[in-house]
Amino acid sequence: MLLQQRTNGNDQALAELMPLAYDELRRMAGRFMAQVLLDAPEQAETLLAQYAKQHPAEYDEVASLYQAFCASDDFMETPVAAARSAETIGEVFAIPPTLPEGEECFGYKVRHLLGKGSMAHVYDAIDTELLRPVAIKVSWNKGDEARTLAKLEHSHIVRVFGQHLVRSGKVRLVVMQRIEGLTLEALVEKLTQLDTGSLPQKMEQVMSGHPAVSSLVPTLLQRGAGYSVAEFICYLGETLADALQYAHGQGVLHLDIKPANILVDSRVRPYLSDFNISGNSLSDAEQVVGGTLAYMSPEHKEVFAGKKEVSDLDGRSDIYSLQATLWESYRRLENKPESLTPQQAFQEADFCHRPFYWLFDWGTRTKRAERPSSAGHLGEGLRFCRQLAPVLKNLPLPWHEKFGVHPMVLVAFCILLPQVFGSAINISYNASQIIS
């Protein structure tokens, strides 16, 4: 089941990941144990007994890990013999470490948990000296996220203020810019739950309590409440593509662009976050690559499955992930079928929407050489598409659409009409003048 979730139900992707199945089973066991202890300790024995019946082959390891956890005063620091190849349970199964809420550390007071993922917990905190709100990301000390983000100074990339290592250097705290808003994933989810109203009206409801949302996007504000979902997605895309172009210019790949890693503030300005698995250099082949399969480019999946080297990836992998992310958001906001692809949408689209669909088909081509050559190139296309949208809307319908028929039928009709008219005159003339 865990493998199926990781592959988003894609059988082909599942087959590609079969060599990783053993590691996934170990992770599944560890996550089960953590879930029992953290969320329902009173049901631990019952659930372990059920697990023994369902997965007898893995039960011994799970039981030993569970017992070691129960006997430990500090889970993250306890070596477990049953884990064999690793020093701690948390590092084996990627269970993210935590911070105590309400306490102060390194000059920051931890207020509450903002969110958690498979690799990290993120807390809302405040700088006690500057009284500045910050976000603190807590994870195992792997990768080079802090140094990567520290050298990226862009208005649409989350800034890093510093990092601290604790627990003998095993746990890393990254102090980051606090974005007041939602992830793109959460924003789309909230918007789709509203049944009535235009997109601007829905946005006002979702961002209630944030007066700054009235100055949404200057170029869209000029249109009042008339901008469309397509224009909004183009705005997000062009802004994030510009940020990606900057990062790629600094030798940094993101390699995990998805709705949960895009933050949208109260003025609906998007930010790229979570560069945890990005390469420090576009030519560095020693990076460990992960990611999210549902948004990975085909070449990224091959690297993830061990069929290619990291050095085979470039900025076009991020372009694919960005377009796949935005396409999913557009499809959900417009309530379109999950199976609909940009190519299918383009073939079925009307005159006004074809440029929009073509851009998304272009960015998600299977062959990397057929995608935009750079994120900047893609951003220019999205910006032009957004600016073109209101122009196309104000034009009269194309002449063939007014009649609701294929344009070639009208072309043939226009060609044949003079012939038919001439023939009728000729027949009439012959009948009246020659035959009579």
Side-chain angles (χ1 to χ4, degrees):
M1 182 180 70
L2 183 60
L3 270 175
Q4 197 73 9
Q5 291 174 351
R6 285 280 302 277
T7 56
N8 203 29
N10 187 316
D11 292 337
Q12 182 177 357
L14 184 63
E16 291 174 353
L17 286 178
M18 284 310 294
L20 305 176
Y22 178 70
D23 290 337
E24 289 294 343
L25 286 174
R26 288 176 59 80
R27 286 179 180 273
M28 180 180 67
R31 289 188 185 285
F32 172 82
M33 177 204 63
Q35 192 70 36
V36 167
L37 295 170
L38 296 177
D39 295 340
E42 70 283 354
Q43 301 178 33
E45 297 295 341
T46 301
L47 292 174
L48 279 172
Q50 293 175 357
Y51 190 80
K53 294 179 181 179
Q54 297 172 359
H55 306 281
E58 288 84 38
Y59 173 73
D60 288 342
E61 183 165 8
V62 172
S64 62
L65 289 171
Y66 168 70
Q67 292 167 5
F69 192 7
C70 288
S72 170
D73 292 329
D74 187 345
F75 166 57
M76 291 185 294
E77 293 290 350
T78 303
V80 180
R84 289 188 295 273
S85 62
E87 292 183 357
T88 66
I89 302 173
E91 290 173 310
V92 172
F93 298 108
I95 301 169
T98 60
L99 281 180
E101 296 182 16
E103 295 190 12
E104 186 176 327
C105 60
F106 299 103
Y108 300 97
K109 185 173 183 179
V110 180
R111 296 195 284 196
H112 59 84
L113 182 69
L114 283 175
K116 59 183 178 179
S118 60
M119 302 300 291
H121 286 94
V122 180
Y123 292 87
D124 175 60
I126 188 164
D127 186 324
T128 55
E129 285 289 331
L130 301 176
L131 300 181
R132 173 177 60 183
V134 297
I136 299 180
K137 181 177 180 179
V138 187
S139 64
W140 297 104
N141 187 22
K142 297 179 181 179
D144 205 18
E145 178 186 19
R147 289 190 178 90
T148 298
L149 281 174
K151 69 177 183 179
L152 299 180
E153 297 183 6
H154 190 278
S155 56
H156 292 280
I157 295 177
V158 175
R159 299 195 306 275
V160 164
F161 300 136
Q163 77 167 0
H164 304 279
L165 300 180
V166 297
R167 294 174 185 152
S168 304
K170 292 181 179 180
V171 175
R172 180 175 60 199
L173 280 60
V174 179
V175 183
M176 303 182 295
Q177 176 186 6
R178 171 76 162 94
I179 303 298
E180 298 288 346
L182 302 166
T183 65
L184 179 59
E185 181 178 51
L187 175 62
V188 170
E189 180 65 27
K190 288 179 178 292
L191 289 172
T192 54
Q193 291 174 357
L194 300 176
D195 297 328
T196 59
S198 65
L199 179 62
Q201 292 169 339
K202 291 180 179 180
M203 200 77 73
E204 290 281 1
Q205 293 182 56
V206 170
M207 295 295 188
S208 60
H210 299 286
V213 78
S214 61
S215 59
L216 185 58
V217 181
T219 50
L220 295 183
L221 183 62
Q222 296 170 6
R223 303 268 325 286
Y227 66 86
S228 65
V229 171
E231 291 172 81
F232 174 64
I233 292 296
C234 281
Y235 160 71
L236 293 179
E238 70 185 68
T239 306
L240 295 170
D242 289 345
L244 270 182
Q245 178 67 21
Y246 169 79
H248 293 167
Q250 299 297 312
V252 175
L253 297 177
H254 191 291
L255 300 184
D256 195 19
I257 298 174
K258 59 183 178 181
N261 285 342
I262 294 172
L263 301 177
V264 183
D265 72 8
S266 58
R267 297 185 66 181
V268 201
R269 295 173 298 193
Y271 299 80
L272 283 176
S273 68
D274 205 344
F275 280 71
N276 191 48
I277 55 173
S278 58
N280 289 332
S281 169
L282 297 182
S283 60
D284 191 344
E286 299 300 324
Q287 299 297 320
V288 176
V289 173
T292 305
L293 285 166
Y295 309 98
M296 277 187 189
S297 65
E299 65 273 12
H300 190 171
K301 288 179 182 176
E302 290 184 331
V303 172
F304 190 64
K307 297 179 181 180
K308 286 188 176 182
E309 299 296 329
V310 182
S311 56
D312 292 325
L313 300 179
D314 59 24
R316 289 171 291 182
S317 296
D318 279 343
I319 289 173
Y320 181 101
S321 298
L322 176 62
Q323 290 295 78
T325 293
L326 295 175
W327 175 254
E328 179 187 78
S329 299
Y330 170 77
R331 180 183 54 73
R332 292 186 62 197
L333 288 172
E334 290 286 40
N335 196 28
K336 292 185 179 294
E338 187 175 347
S339 59
L340 183 69
T341 66
Q343 185 178 24
Q344 293 170 339
F346 173 76
Q347 293 171 348
E348 300 168 3
D350 58 25
F351 178 74
C352 295
H353 285 88
R354 283 202 157 199
F356 175 78
Y357 292 140
W358 182 84
L359 277 172
F360 282 86
D361 175 45
W362 186 33
T364 54
R365 299 276 173 87
T366 301
K367 294 182 179 179
R368 181 168 47 179
E370 296 180 358
R371 294 178 216 147
S373 58
S374 69
H377 196 181
L378 173 65
E380 291 173 2
L382 290 167
R383 188 172 295 107
F384 176 75
C385 185
R386 175 178 56 78
Q387 294 168 346
L388 183 65
V391 177
L392 292 177
K393 283 183 181 179
N394 292 327
L395 288 176
L397 278 175
W399 52 273
H400 64 84
E401 289 190 7
K402 289 182 179 179
F403 295 95
V405 297
H406 194 281
M408 291 309 298
V409 175
L410 287 178
V411 170
F413 177 77
C414 292
I415 292 174
L416 292 175
L417 182 61
Q419 305 297 326
V420 173
F421 184 69
S423 297
I425 293 176
N426 188 46
I427 291 172
S428 175
Y429 175 81
N430 290 340
S432 62
Q433 299 297 325
I434 297 177
I435 297 177
S436 62

